[in-house]
Amino acid sequence: METDVPGVDVKRLHPMTLIQRVILSLPGFVILLLPVVRSPSTTSWFNLGFAVLYGLITLPLIFLQYQRFRYWITPKELVIHSGVLTRRRRNIPVDRIQNIEIERKLLPRLLGTARVKVVTAGSDSAEGVLEYVSVPEANRIREAIRILQLHVQGDDPGETTVLDSSVAPAVATPDVQPLIRLTLERVLLSGVFRFSLLYIAIIFSALQLFEPDPEVLADFLTRGRFGEWTAMVIRSPWMAAFGGIVAAALLSWASGILVNLNKFYDFRLSLEGNRLHKKHGLLTIAEGTIPLKKIQTLIYRTNPLMSRFGWRALELQTMGLNVREHGHQVAVPFAKAAEIRPIEKLIFPVVWPERLLPVSRLTIRRMSIRYGFVLAAIATTVSFWWQPAVWAFTLIPLIIAWAYLQYRHHGYAASDHALVIRRGFIRRMMWYIPIEKFHVFYVTQSIFQRRLNLKTFYVDTAGASAMHFPMIVDLPADQADLLLRQLFEVYQKSGHADDSAIQPPVPTDGRNTIPDTERPGPSSSLPDPGDREQSN
């Protein structure tokens, strides 16, 4: 295949790609054959015909896809040719590439291959995927892109002549500075604080697939050392429900540890030039880089138990949205504040506030009414078929307590450097957003907030997740307007606005302003996302 640039090598995927794709297509073949194996009959033989047809289509298609796939790297772009019936060419500019992720699941590791994902700023998924190449080739691609980007930016430490991507590793790799590495004990400890419903879903899926006889299952459970206990639980519906909840909690806890171990085993974060490089995984080894200048927001995540012992996770919101990680990339999955502080200093000149300001106390009333209305609607509907559902109204005091806890753990601080927002009681999150990263300022007011004269304030940054983004909910209306105007003025003075004549988006009379004495002062300390320190 000819390229637009002479002298550039056209590459193919690794030949083992054929073997892997055949293996990955086998589950579909087995599902089609399963009815024939379990109960051969006249109708089930149709499945055998479909299985043969599946093989006749899939195997040639796998070979043709491999034959049609080509890629090459020029000094300006990564080009990927693919497709059998619909042929596609993707030209990905080198300077738009944000990250090269190298992923090695168990099967590719056994076959000596790796999956390369090319992520660009602004895309909601990988812009290009090379599935699969050899491990040395994957490293060569990542290194070639890195060196070409340095050349485009004028930061090339070597000669500035046009680089031949095929010999890109000839340029020296910058010194690697390790920042943090999690031991096996630390990874297991981090799993203790987390739950996962993964294995529960797998068990229920297996039960639905094989449809076991309930009498046989009950007989199996009532045998052995714990037979009497199991029989007692089965005889009592309440005990069965309680036992089910306890079993589900234990299974979720154990699966959380296993999932965490598989994901973060041997986690390493290092600094390579102007990028963070991370590598981790047990069955699937994931490796990727995060350019420092692409980072938009620091996000600290914890929960009440982790917060009690001073543990937290650091996530980074970057310009490219990673759907699999909900728009955030985990930089440090489990560490103390003192271990995270040197890393955040590499990213931003972080200045933490000494205290956070609370939102309006009216938020307790608004949340209680909202949650109470939902509970009443569900309980009333269910009670038409199951009368005991009316007992759900006894949960109303818990709803009020929950609204109060949400209020206590919701706070913010605005300064000339950044906006800090903390939210959540069980799932506690804290955002640190530098002023220069702001893109859009918002103030919204729902119909219920209008009755209480409240507003919600938030800012948008590049690559922000649509599911979890920072917002200050239920500020007094005039205080929200004032905060918007103050931050917008700081943004303009910092020289990041394109037009100095732009006026604040939502001007108000500003009669009730935030007194300067209440504005948080700068601090170099890192507040705990679960810290209750607020200015009430």
Side-chain angles (χ1 to χ4, degrees), residues 51-89:
V52 173
L53 183 62
Y54 176 80
L56 292 176
I57 295 175
T58 302
L59 295 179
L61 186 61
I62 290 174
F63 179 76
L64 290 174
Q65 285 177 335
Y66 173 79
Q67 283 290 103
R68 290 297 310 169
F69 199 98
R70 299 283 192 280
Y71 69 93
W72 61 86
I73 303 175
T74 74
K76 294 183 178 179
E77 58 189 2
L78 167 65
V79 183
I80 300 176
H81 263 277
S82 62
V84 178
L85 299 179
T86 301
R87 297 179 180 179
R88 185 179 183 188
R89 169 173 172 154

Side-chain angles (χ1 to χ4, degrees), residues 299 317-318 321-322 325-328 460-470:
I299 303 170
Q317 179 197 310
T318 56
L321 179 61
N322 189 323
E325 298 190 56
H326 307 289
H328 310 146
D460 199 1
T461 56
S465 168
M467 297 296 295
H468 303 286
F469 53 92

Side-chain angles (χ1 to χ4, degrees), residues 170-211:
V171 179
T173 302
D175 295 336
V176 177
Q177 303 178 27
L179 297 172
I180 191 169
R181 182 171 186 173
L182 301 189
T183 62
L184 177 60
E185 292 78 10
R186 176 75 69 88
V187 175
L188 292 174
L189 180 61
S190 68
V192 170
F193 294 94
R194 294 171 183 174
F195 288 80
S196 172
L197 300 178
L198 174 64
Y199 289 106
I200 292 181
I202 293 176
I203 290 175
F204 276 97
S205 299
L207 292 175
Q208 189 173 11
L209 178 62
F210 293 102
E211 299 179 352

Side-chain angles (χ1 to χ4, degrees), residues 367-380 393 399 448:
M367 283 194 291
S368 299
I369 294 175
R370 183 175 63 177
Y371 298 150
F373 179 79
V374 173
L375 175 67
I378 295 175
T380 303
F393 285 97
I399 289 178
F448 301 105

Side-chain angles (χ1 to χ4, degrees), residues 10 29 125 134 157 213 339 363 417 478 488:
V10 178
F29 188 73
S125 60
S134 67
D213 189 339
E339 298 172 305
T363 190
H417 307 281
D478 51 2
F488 189 77

Side-chain angles (χ1 to χ4, degrees), residues 215-270:
E215 294 184 359
V216 174
L217 184 61
D219 181 64
F220 173 77
L221 294 174
T222 53
R223 288 183 297 180
R225 183 181 304 176
F226 303 101
E228 293 184 3
W229 288 92
T230 307
M232 183 180 66
V233 169
I234 294 176
R235 283 195 298 270
S236 171
W238 290 104
M239 285 294 293
F242 178 75
I245 293 173
V246 172
L250 291 175
L251 192 60
S252 299
W253 183 55
S255 62
I257 296 175
L258 293 176
V259 170
N260 218 51
L261 176 64
N262 180 48
K263 186 174 182 180
F264 295 117
Y265 175 77
D266 196 22
F267 182 93
R268 285 169 284 175
L269 181 73
S270 57

